[in-house]
Amino acid sequence: MNSSGTKLIEQTFPVLEMTCAACAISVESMLKSVKGVKSASVNYPNQTASVEYDGSLVTPIDLQSTVRSIGYDLVVDEENAQAIQEEAQHNQYQELKNRTIWASVLSIPVVIIGMFFMDWPYGSYISMVLAGPVVFYFGRNFFVHAWKQARNGKANMDTLVALSTGIAYAFSIFNTFNAEFWHQRNLHAHVYYEAAAVVIAFISLGKLLEEKAKSNTSSSIKKLMGLQPKTLTIIKDGVESQLPISSVMVGSIVLVRPGERIPVDGVITQGQSFVDESMISGEPVAVEKTKGANVFAGTINQKGSFQFEAVKVGSNTLLAHIIKMVQQAQGSKAPVQKLVDKVAGIFVPIVIGIAVLTFIIWMVFGGENALTHALLTSITVLVIACPCALGLATPTAIMVGVGRGAQNNILIKDAESLELAHKVNAVVLDKTGTITEGKPTVTDFVWSEASLIKYKDVLYSIEFQSEHPLAQAVVERLKAEGATNHELSSFESITGKGVRASIDNETFLVGSQKLMIEKNVLIPGDMKEKAGKWQAEAKTVIYFANEKRVLALIAIGDKIKATSQEAIKALQQKGIDVYMLTGDNEQTAKAVSNQVGLKHYKAEILPSDKAAYIKELQTNNKIVAMVGDGINDSQALAQADVSIAMGRGSDIAMDVAKMTLITSDLMSIPRALNLSGKTVKTIRQNLFWAFIFNIVAIPIAAGILYPINGFLLDPMIASGAMALSSVSVVSNSLRLRSIKI
């Protein structure tokens, strides 16, 4: 609510047609100028705008019209926003690819003529014909966007490109048909068609490299939404009926069969089953659900059927909350992006200002050739300052760095993570599937007496029929040892404790210690000691007994990966604090942290708790990297400064994460941070030389050396220098191929 009591609406919209950080500045400033908009933040990498506005004063359609007025578009169709944005990005990429190819093809002969056949009588006319389509057809978007920006008093990179190429081409046409104008002044009538064409081709290439990365990005939000079924089964007055999920109401009784996803949040009213809640807890073991237990949308029912009362539906479910949290975290603007926005926002106006100032100074102090020198120098300033090297500095380093990472099983998504990863001073690890293997296996198996091994087939037969998730681990172990299945006389599941079964008139029990005590089964002292030891090691202990005594003990655990301890030690030696967050119990979390040398851990936490914990670390000036593998980690991954997914984890985790480790080897984490440092160093070198080039070249282009030695930089040489700066940036980036990480 604002001070007047009006409720403000906070909404995120996809933005289309943005091609540079300066575009984001323009869209953001226009949105902020709309009456009724309290705040607006445009995120260029994510192509989104987060707007807080008064719904009584402004509508999304009004916001869309405002953005369209400067050459961009806002997607206000909430239901199909993601699909519209993806289709627009794909079409934009294909169009840009075609423009770049044809601009390059037509530019090559123009450059050859301009460099080697400049005195050819028909060279200027042929160059004019070839360069025309490059500048005004394949480069038309630069002019269209520049015009729309100018109408609203704005300027961006497109403005600079349009001015430099447009003026260079127009000036060249004048010289082509009015060469005598310059000959009478003892000057050569230079044409600069190759400069105009090459600028369009180079800038288009830089934009293509950037757009390629965007068009290949998968939609994690779309996959999260796909976890919720489209329909569900309602039971009303004893009659089953299929309804679309949008029709379900709070209080409805929902039926879930084996293998189905739970559609909404609720409480079980009838039946029992095991539910795979790994998307929430991250734990691979399914949770037993009986009457009164909570169930959550998107989780998977396993073998049993049950009915539950819908408690939370639509946008109130836990899954919907996860989706919203991921959207907010992905749409938030990183501090480093604000700096980039500021630089991009002032670069273009400064260059245009310098070009205008150059023209004025030459007109005032240029003497008899004032107009000639004023035109030449101002055009040269615009040509040489065209930010091609700046546009290539980051994407080329990223492409080579990403390729180098791929060779080392590290997939990197964006420049922001590369820029931040080497600054990381806190790493948060999920337990299951990240530090551990993520699969329950039998770690220890002991018979109370050697002669009792004859009951191996009995145990196998009982566990083979059991629905408990841990039973599968026992079945796999005994099957490998050659056990065979036999028909049971009876089989009874004892909720929360285990099972009781009979075979050949003998009764057996398989389950927890609690079941043994309840049935007065004798547990030998040495078996108690072993069970206690295994429990301290974070293992689950299963007892196998007849009606009198325990016959065997089985320990089931999630093995710690071979390199986990080494990787954690390597991170700690770099001065990085390592934390473990898990949905598992306190005893297991403590045991695992002790085994791998962790000082910081937190157990029994939900996905939102993980994200909140990371946010708390960030408020304490920590640059946080989150490493996870499950859907339950998606919120935390989106919240973290640097997000790293294990390649064998869920697709959602890999989509949300900015880095993915193809291997399960945690040693890839320190290697990823080292690669970040090397790549960022290269990016900074590229940006440094690109800026130095402009700082040195622009004054020379403006004619600062003319009073000293009579030197004026030719626009043709300026375009060559601009191309050379781009080549030097690319060459420097290629050095990353040989670095050691």
Side-chain angles (χ1 to χ4, degrees):
M1 303 286 284
N2 60 17
S3 56
S4 63
T6 304
K7 187 176 181 180
L8 294 171
I9 301 171
E10 191 172 348
Q11 200 168 348
T12 299
F13 304 95
V15 184
L16 307 180
E17 304 293 331
M18 290 196 300
T19 58
C20 65
C23 297
I25 292 286
S26 299
V27 175
E28 187 173 297
S29 62
M30 288 299 290
L31 287 172
K32 287 179 177 177
S33 68
V34 177
K35 185 179 180 181
V37 173
K38 182 183 178 184
S39 65
S41 176
V42 178
N43 188 304
Y44 171 61
N46 287 327
Q47 302 281 289
T48 58
S50 297
V51 187
E52 190 176 12
Y53 62 94
D54 184 342
S56 64
L57 297 176
V58 64
T59 67
I61 299 298
D62 297 329
L63 300 176
Q64 184 185 53
S65 299
T66 301
V67 172
R68 283 179 173 176
S69 70
I70 55 171
Y72 309 103
D73 200 357
L74 207 65
V75 180
V76 296
D77 181 351
E78 288 188 63
E79 288 187 11
N80 302 304
Q82 198 70 37
I84 293 171
Q85 185 178 32
E86 286 177 0
E87 184 181 0
Q89 287 177 342
H90 175 74
N91 294 339
Q92 185 176 336
Y93 173 75
Q94 292 300 327
E95 183 186 351
L96 183 56
K97 183 179 179 180
N98 292 332
R99 290 205 309 264
T100 303
I101 291 172
W102 282 106
S104 301
V105 168
L106 293 177
S107 295
I108 291 172
V110 178
V111 171
I112 293 173
I113 292 172
M115 292 295 182
F116 304 107
F117 303 98
M118 60 187 74
D119 295 324
W120 186 29
Y122 302 105
S124 295
Y125 297 99
I126 294 173
S127 295
M128 178 182 68
V129 171
L130 292 175
V134 175
V135 176
F136 298 112
Y137 182 72
F138 299 116
R140 64 187 182 280
N141 282 357
F142 296 115
F143 293 88
V144 171
H145 289 155
W147 169 245
K148 289 182 177 180
Q149 291 280 318
R151 284 191 312 178
N152 291 277
K154 306 286 182 183
N156 63 2
M157 297 293 189
D158 291 338
T159 307
L160 203 56
V161 176
L163 278 175
S164 61
T165 56
I167 293 173
Y169 189 85
F171 186 59
S172 298
I173 289 178
F174 177 85
N175 290 355
T176 299
F177 293 102
N178 298 280
E180 285 302 314
F181 176 84
W182 300 105
H183 295 161
Q184 291 171 3
R185 292 163 175 76
N186 297 318
L187 292 170
H188 186 70
H190 285 295
V191 292
Y192 308 106
Y193 296 118
E194 78 286 348
V198 167
V199 165
I200 295 293
F202 265 119
I203 295 297
S204 296
L205 176 61
K207 290 182 180 295
L208 182 66
L209 293 174
E210 187 176 348
E211 201 60 40
K212 184 178 180 181
K214 292 179 189 173
S215 64
N216 290 334
T217 301
S218 299
S219 171
S220 58
I221 300 299
K222 188 176 180 180
K223 288 185 178 180
L224 276 172
M225 290 176 175
L227 293 176
Q228 190 172 47
K230 304 299 181 187
T231 61
L232 75 171
T233 304
I234 296 290
I235 296 180
K236 189 172 183 180
D237 298 326
V239 179
E240 294 183 17
S241 57
Q242 289 282 329
L243 292 177
I245 195 161
S246 57
S247 300
V248 68
M249 306 287 288
V250 172
S252 299
I253 301 300
V254 182
L255 172 65
V256 182
R257 295 186 173 90
E260 292 183 345
R261 284 192 182 273
I262 295 169
V264 294
D265 294 0
V267 177
I268 292 180
T269 57
Q270 184 179 325
Q272 68 177 64
S273 182
F274 288 93
V275 176
D276 179 358
E277 292 187 340
S278 58
M279 63 157 284
I280 297 173
S281 66
E283 300 306 313
V285 180
V287 180
E288 186 172 12
K289 297 290 184 178
T290 57
K291 185 176 180 180
N294 294 320
V295 290
F296 303 97
T299 57
I300 304 171
N301 181 32
Q302 293 197 331
K303 297 183 179 179
S305 295
F306 60 85
Q307 297 175 18
F308 73 92
E309 180 183 349
V311 175
K312 292 182 179 179
V313 300
S315 61
N316 294 321
T317 66
L318 182 61
L319 177 61
H321 183 63
I322 290 175
I323 293 171
K324 185 178 179 181
M325 291 287 286
V326 172
Q327 285 177 321
Q328 289 177 344
Q330 285 187 327
S332 60
K333 186 178 291 187
V336 66
Q337 186 60 39
K338 295 178 182 178
L339 178 61
V340 174
D341 289 349
K342 288 179 182 178
V343 172
I346 63 174
F347 181 81
V348 177
I350 287 176
V351 171
I352 294 173
I354 291 173
V356 172
L357 183 63
T358 298
F359 185 88
I360 293 172
I361 290 174
W362 275 104
M363 286 299 293
V364 174
F365 301 104
E368 60 182 62
N369 291 321
L371 176 61
T372 303
H373 290 156
L375 281 170
L376 284 173
T377 52
S378 57
I379 289 172
T380 305
V381 166
L382 290 171
V383 168
I384 206 165
C386 200
C388 197
L390 286 173
L392 291 171
T394 298
T396 54
I398 290 170
M399 288 188 72
V400 180
V402 165
R404 190 78 179 97
Q407 293 173 359
N408 289 271
N409 298 318
I410 304 165
L411 297 182
I412 302 166
K413 275 192 180 179
D414 65 4
E416 186 178 326
S417 288
L418 274 178
E419 186 164 356
L420 281 175
H422 74 290
K423 298 179 181 178
V424 164
N425 52 21
V427 172
V428 175
L429 302 173
D430 175 48
K431 178 183 74 69
T432 306
T434 302
I435 295 177
T436 66
E437 296 286 354
K439 182 182 179 182
T441 56
V442 174
T443 58
D444 303 274
F445 199 132
V446 61
W447 295 92
S448 58
E449 292 179 13
S451 61
L452 297 175
I453 199 170
K454 64 182 180 181
Y455 290 110
K456 179 169 63 175
D457 289 351
V458 174
L459 176 59
Y460 177 79
S461 302
I462 295 172
E463 290 293 71
F464 186 83
Q465 191 163 329
S466 174
E467 293 183 352
H468 197 285
L470 294 181
Q472 186 60 35
V474 179
V475 168
E476 289 179 6
R477 170 66 177 266
L478 293 176
K479 187 177 181 180
E481 294 181 0
T484 56
N485 190 21
H486 296 272
E487 186 176 346
L488 301 174
S489 305
S490 66
F491 182 91
E492 177 191 356
S493 177
I494 304 171
T495 304
K497 297 171 187 175
V499 298
R500 177 168 53 196
S502 297
I503 185 170
D504 297 332
N505 297 318
E506 189 173 358
T507 301
F508 297 92
L509 299 168
V510 180
S512 65
Q513 184 182 36
K514 187 176 181 181
L515 178 63
M516 301 298 117
I517 294 172
E518 186 178 293
K519 300 300 180 182
N520 297 315
V521 173
L522 174 65
I523 306 175
D526 61 330
M527 301 296 264
K528 281 185 180 179
E529 188 177 332
K530 282 187 175 65
K533 180 184 176 184
W534 292 344
Q535 286 173 337
E537 294 172 356
K539 298 172 182 177
T540 301
V541 180
I542 295 176
Y543 293 76
F544 172 47
N546 56 23
E547 290 183 296
K548 296 179 180 179
R549 57 174 295 186
V550 170
L551 305 176
L553 283 183
I554 306 106
I556 296 179
D558 187 5
K559 290 183 180 178
I560 292 173
K561 293 176 183 175
T563 57
S564 292
Q565 186 173 359
E566 182 186 359
I568 289 168
K569 185 177 180 181
L571 290 169
Q572 290 170 337
Q573 287 176 342
K574 290 168 67 74
I576 297 172
D577 292 330
V578 185
Y579 304 80
M580 181 182 75
L581 303 182
T582 178
D584 212 338
N585 61 69
E586 173 71 22
Q587 185 181 22
T588 301
K590 184 177 181 181
V592 171
S593 64
N594 288 338
Q595 289 179 54
V596 296
L598 278 172
K599 299 176 183 176
H600 313 285
Y601 73 90
K602 196 166 185 181
E604 300 177 11
I605 59 175
L606 294 173
S608 57
D609 296 328
K610 288 185 180 182
Y613 191 86
I614 289 174
K615 196 169 186 179
E616 184 181 340
L617 290 175
Q618 290 169 328
T619 59
N620 292 323
N621 299 318
K622 292 287 188 182
I623 306 296
V624 183
M626 169 67 192
V627 186
D629 74 324
I631 296 170
N632 64 299
D633 299 319
S634 58
Q635 287 176 246
L637 287 167
Q639 178 64 46
D641 299 291
V642 178
S643 47
I644 304 173
M646 307 303 293
R648 296 180 186 177
S650 72
D651 289 343
I652 308 301
M654 287 185 278
D655 280 346
V656 174
K658 302 301 183 183
M659 294 186 185
T660 298
L661 307 181
I662 301 173
T663 175
S664 61
D665 183 359
L666 285 189
M667 280 303 296
S668 293
I669 298 173
R671 282 197 286 269
L673 301 186
N674 290 337
L675 175 63
S676 163
K678 300 285 187 181
T679 308
V680 168
K681 184 178 180 181
T682 302
I683 291 173
R684 287 177 176 173
Q685 289 171 347
N686 289 348
L687 291 172
F688 173 78
W689 288 112
F691 274 111
I692 286 295
F693 169 79
N694 280 294
I695 291 171
V696 173
I698 289 176
I700 294 175
I704 196 171
L705 296 178
Y706 187 79
I708 302 172
N709 55 17
F711 177 77
L712 278 180
L713 185 63
D714 193 300
M716 185 184 298
I717 297 174
S719 66
M722 184 206 69
L724 184 62
S725 70
S726 299
V727 172
S728 66
V729 163
V730 174
S731 300
N732 188 49
S733 296
L734 291 175
R735 292 191 308 109
L736 279 169
R737 289 180 176 177
S738 59
I739 65 167
K740 181 180 179 181
I741 60 173

